[in-house]
Amino acid sequence: MSGIHSDRCLETDEIGKMLSDWNVADCAPDSFISIIAPRRSGKSTLCEFFVHEYRKAHKVDAIFLFSKTQSGFPQIPSKYRFRTLDKLDDIINIQVKVKNHNMKQKIKRNKVKSRVIIILDDFVGGQKELRRNKMMDSLATNGRHLSGDEDVSLMTICLSQIFTGLSPTIRLNTDYTLFTSMANRLERKALVDAYCCLHSGRHGLKEGYNLFDVCLGDYVFLCCNGTQANKRDYPDYMYLYKAKPSKKISKEKWIKDDEAWKNNTQHFEWCI
């Protein structure tokens, strides 16, 4: 039971022992996932590890990366990488067409498989692209409707240094939010208020900060399951997730497109 029901608040180490590891296999193919962490705190490493683990349990046909810097993610060839959000509408429209096509097919072999993951890497910045982009809000609120049966799905993974840079619509409709320690007091407060304060009052707030401090450590993130309806205690909706950097993961090819790899112009050196 949470410390709010006793004479004292639970300490950080006590809460940490209560939490279990997040099972990526339980993540639905149409999930909207946010990964929040400061610069050089392991967002990309965590995302790579998540996709690596997710692909063990689920089929994925295509992964698109939207990144201004185009850094990281050597598993994705240049054909599937974009510096702006301009191509996002095209990908979504294709998903809609595939879903509508499949709904008309009575024979399974006539259905088209389009299980897609979209990665948005640090598009929260001075120009506030994610806050102003209505398509992003639509993905968060209605993205699950772009998925059909097991043959069509669209998952969105949003990586950001700034939690408050995400629009309120995205924050309220994210299925899973992963975050780690933050030096910025305002960002830390916003995350604690949004996900860690299970109970009201000063004791609830103090215990919320103790929960937040569980994620101290290299590549250690807290994962909040926003799909959990009943939240009576922290283990009901909060999990631990730790990335395991691996040179082997960096050499994976997430796209089965020989032509794309043949003409790939992206080259990376692996490092931790």
Side-chain angles (χ1 to χ4, degrees):
M1 295 291 289
S2 173
I4 199 67
H5 300 298
S6 64
D7 294 332
R8 67 178 183 85
C9 295
L10 289 174
E11 298 299 326
T12 295
D13 58 343
E14 294 176 291
I15 298 174
K17 293 176 181 178
M18 296 168 59
L19 304 182
S20 59
D21 293 335
W22 184 36
N23 185 1
V24 171
D26 294 337
C27 188
D30 59 357
S31 297
F32 191 103
I33 302 170
S34 295
I35 301 177
I36 313 297
R39 185 171 179 262
R40 299 186 183 280
S41 294
K43 293 189 299 298
S44 296
T45 300
L46 186 91
C47 185
E48 289 181 5
F49 185 70
F50 165 80
V51 175
H52 165 77
E53 293 291 306
Y54 178 83
R55 291 175 71 245
K56 292 180 180 179
H58 301 272
K59 297 290 185 182
V60 179
D61 298 304
I63 301 178
F64 298 94
L65 172 68
F66 291 84
S67 171
K68 293 178 182 178
T69 62
Q70 292 292 298
S71 61
F73 300 99
Q75 307 89 344
I76 304 174
S78 53
K79 179 181 177 182
Y80 293 78
R81 308 169 71 98
F82 308 99
R83 290 187 179 275
T84 69
L85 298 175
D86 295 343
K87 291 292 183 180
L88 186 58
D89 285 356
D90 294 338
I91 295 172
I92 292 174
N93 289 334
I94 290 174
Q95 284 296 103
V96 172
K97 291 179 181 179
V98 172
K99 178 183 177 181
N100 292 337
H101 166 82
N102 286 358
M103 290 176 63
K104 299 175 183 177
Q105 306 308 311
K106 297 181 179 180
I107 302 175
K108 186 173 178 60
R109 67 172 179 269
N110 292 336
K111 293 184 177 182
V112 177
K113 290 180 173 58
S114 184
R115 295 156 296 197
V116 173
I117 296 177
I118 293 174
I119 299 174
L120 301 156
D121 187 9
D122 274 338
F123 265 88
V124 179
Q127 296 185 10
K128 302 180 180 180
E129 289 92 338
L130 290 186
R131 290 185 68 93
R132 295 175 178 175
N133 192 296
K134 294 182 180 179
M135 185 58 69
M136 283 303 308
D137 283 354
S138 180
L139 276 176
T141 55
N142 301 311
R144 64 187 183 277
H145 299 304
L146 296 173
S147 301
D149 54 17
E150 60 183 13
D151 295 317
V152 183
S153 62
L154 179 65
M155 173 184 288
T156 303
I157 305 175
C158 177
L159 285 69
S160 176
Q161 299 179 31
I162 310 171
F163 175 64
T164 54
L166 301 176
S167 72
T169 300
I170 293 176
R171 280 182 266 168
L172 290 172
N173 288 279
T174 297
D175 295 308
Y176 297 94
T177 303
L178 293 97
F179 53 92
T180 189
S181 56
M182 305 281 285
N184 185 291
R185 182 181 62 83
L186 294 178
E187 290 294 312
R188 189 168 60 250
K189 180 180 183 301
L191 283 165
V192 169
D193 288 345
Y195 303 120
C196 299
C197 291
L198 190 57
H199 308 284
S200 59
R202 286 182 294 176
H203 284 300
L205 180 61
K206 183 178 185 300
E207 199 166 84
Y209 275 98
N210 290 343
L211 168 61
F212 183 87
D213 288 339
V214 169
C215 61
L216 292 175
D218 292 340
Y219 305 113
V220 177
F221 283 68
L222 279 170
C223 174
C224 174
N225 180 1
T227 68
Q228 178 64 38
N230 298 317
K231 303 180 179 68
R232 294 184 177 88
D233 218 331
Y234 303 124
D236 293 336
Y237 73 106
M238 295 295 290
Y239 303 91
L240 287 171
Y241 193 60
K242 183 174 182 178
K244 300 175 182 177
S246 168
K247 195 170 184 178
K248 183 178 179 180
I249 293 177
S250 71
K251 293 182 178 180
E252 292 179 348
K253 293 184 177 181
W254 292 345
I255 309 296
K256 294 182 179 179
D257 186 337
D258 293 338
E259 191 66 23
W261 285 110
K262 181 180 178 181
N263 298 314
N264 183 37
T265 59
Q266 296 290 140
H267 300 284
F268 304 90
E269 292 183 3
W270 183 84
C271 62
I272 297 179

